Amino acid sequence: SFANGIEQLVHAIVNDLEARENVTIKTSHHVKELKFGKDIEVYTNDRSFNADHIISTIPSHELANLLPELPYLTHNPSVTVAVVNIAYGRPNLLPVKGFGYLVPRITPNNPYHVLGVVFDSDAMPHQDYKQDKYTKLTVMMGGHYYNDLSENDYPSKDELLSQAIETIEKHLGVYSTPLQCMAQIHRKCIPQYYVGHYSRMRKLHYAIKKKYGKRLSVGGASYFGVSINDCIANSARLALDLLGNDDERVIITGLERVE
């Protein structure tokens, strides 16, 4: 992470791009339709744009709404994860030091569907200005356990806070009253790559080449890695491939590794 959290990376990217004359960032522009003609017409909730090439990094199931003729964009589901951040006003409350722990699926007596707990105070101690003041934890719940829940069935934020605090009490023996808590449900945030993913991506790669030629590339968590590390590395590779390609016969889809 970073001293001010992951958003510090996003702000740094935005600040860098906004300083470049050839870059325009449009926020709150939800893409409603794509039309591939002589130019690519991009229709949003606010206006339309013309483009000669599009790099789509939205989730593949969202891209499927825009380009339903492409195969396998909706094959892999994405799970919903509840994340609860808890800070205690005392240091060194944990019985052990480490990054945290995961809860295997076969673990009995897991009524709140806990996936794991991160010891933020140990894993990222330099985020605090006074490292000796707090004990901080992140509890993650849900994932595949939430697959059968409807929108109205998800636990409320108050319920998530209560479940996370009870989990920490039972698992780690921490019975202190939290100084601050925060709960958030991240809907469809982690794609699940089902068996056969690589061969499906090969078929998608060739479908993009055949249907859209040199005008569409894809990236993001839906294809070759869900982590921020993979997304950054794959995006850099895609950008460099596009910039370095001066051969009209070579089509860059972002899925070249399947070849």
Side-chain angles (χ1 to χ4, degrees), residues 166-254:
E166 182 180 334
T167 295
I168 291 172
E169 290 175 349
K170 290 183 176 179
H171 288 191
L172 300 171
V174 176
Y175 291 91
S176 180
T177 301
L179 180 68
Q180 189 169 357
C181 301
M182 180 172 61
Q184 185 67 46
I185 294 180
H186 301 278
R187 290 166 173 78
K188 294 184 177 181
C189 63
I190 304 180
Q192 307 287 284
Y193 298 166
Y194 279 6
V195 173
H197 178 71
Y198 202 85
S199 62
R200 290 190 295 273
M201 292 303 96
R202 181 181 295 111
K203 294 177 182 178
L204 175 61
H205 168 65
Y206 287 112
I208 293 174
K209 292 179 72 169
K210 181 178 180 180
K211 179 72 175 178
Y212 299 108
K214 297 174 71 70
R215 300 196 290 173
L216 175 67
S217 304
V218 296
S222 296
Y223 306 100
F224 292 119
V226 302
S227 71
I228 189 171
N229 310 47
D230 286 320
C231 289
I232 290 174
N234 294 335
S235 295
R237 186 180 297 112
L238 172 58
L240 292 172
D241 286 346
L242 288 170
L243 289 170
N245 180 29
D246 54 6
D247 188 339
E248 288 296 321
R249 298 168 297 176
V250 177
I251 298 173
I252 306 296
T253 70

Side-chain angles (χ1 to χ4, degrees), residues 19-63:
R20 300 173 183 266
E21 294 182 357
N22 63 333
V23 175
T24 301
I25 300 176
K26 295 290 186 181
T27 58
S28 301
H29 280 62
H30 183 70
V31 178
K32 299 291 188 179
E33 185 179 6
L34 296 174
K35 289 185 177 180
F36 288 80
K38 183 179 180 181
D39 290 325
I40 308 169
E41 297 176 76
V42 182
Y43 295 89
T44 75
N45 57 303
D46 183 71
R47 53 167 292 187
S48 63
F49 303 88
N50 286 342
D52 56 15
H53 189 93
I54 287 177
I55 301 174
S56 172
T57 58
I58 62 176
S60 64
H61 63 263
E62 295 288 348
L63 182 60

Side-chain angles (χ1 to χ4, degrees), residues 58-114:
I58 62 176
S60 64
H61 63 263
E62 295 288 348
L63 182 60
N65 295 327
L66 301 171
L67 303 175
E69 65 276 9
L70 287 177
Y72 301 118
L73 292 177
T74 60
H75 186 89
N76 293 329
S78 292
V79 295
T80 294
V81 177
V83 177
V84 181
N85 305 106
I86 302 175
Y88 297 93
R90 294 170 53 197
N92 304 317
L93 288 177
L94 301 178
V96 294
K97 293 286 186 181
F99 179 82
Y101 60 93
L102 299 177
V103 180
R105 189 171 187 170
I106 62 172
T107 301
N109 302 320
N110 186 15
Y112 302 138
H113 308 313
V114 177

Side-chain angles (χ1 to χ4, degrees), residues 103-153:
V103 180
R105 189 171 187 170
I106 62 172
T107 301
N109 302 320
N110 186 15
Y112 302 138
H113 308 313
V114 177
L115 302 172
V117 179
V118 178
F119 302 162
D120 296 329
S121 301
D122 290 346
M124 296 169 282
H126 301 297
Q127 284 191 334
D128 296 328
Y129 295 108
K130 297 180 180 179
Q131 279 93 17
D132 59 347
K133 187 176 180 180
Y134 307 106
T135 298
K136 298 194 303 183
L137 302 166
T138 296
V139 182
M140 296 165 289
M141 297 179 283
H144 61 278
Y145 295 109
Y146 283 178
N147 284 352
D148 296 328
L149 298 184
S150 66
E151 185 67 26
N152 295 327
D153 291 332

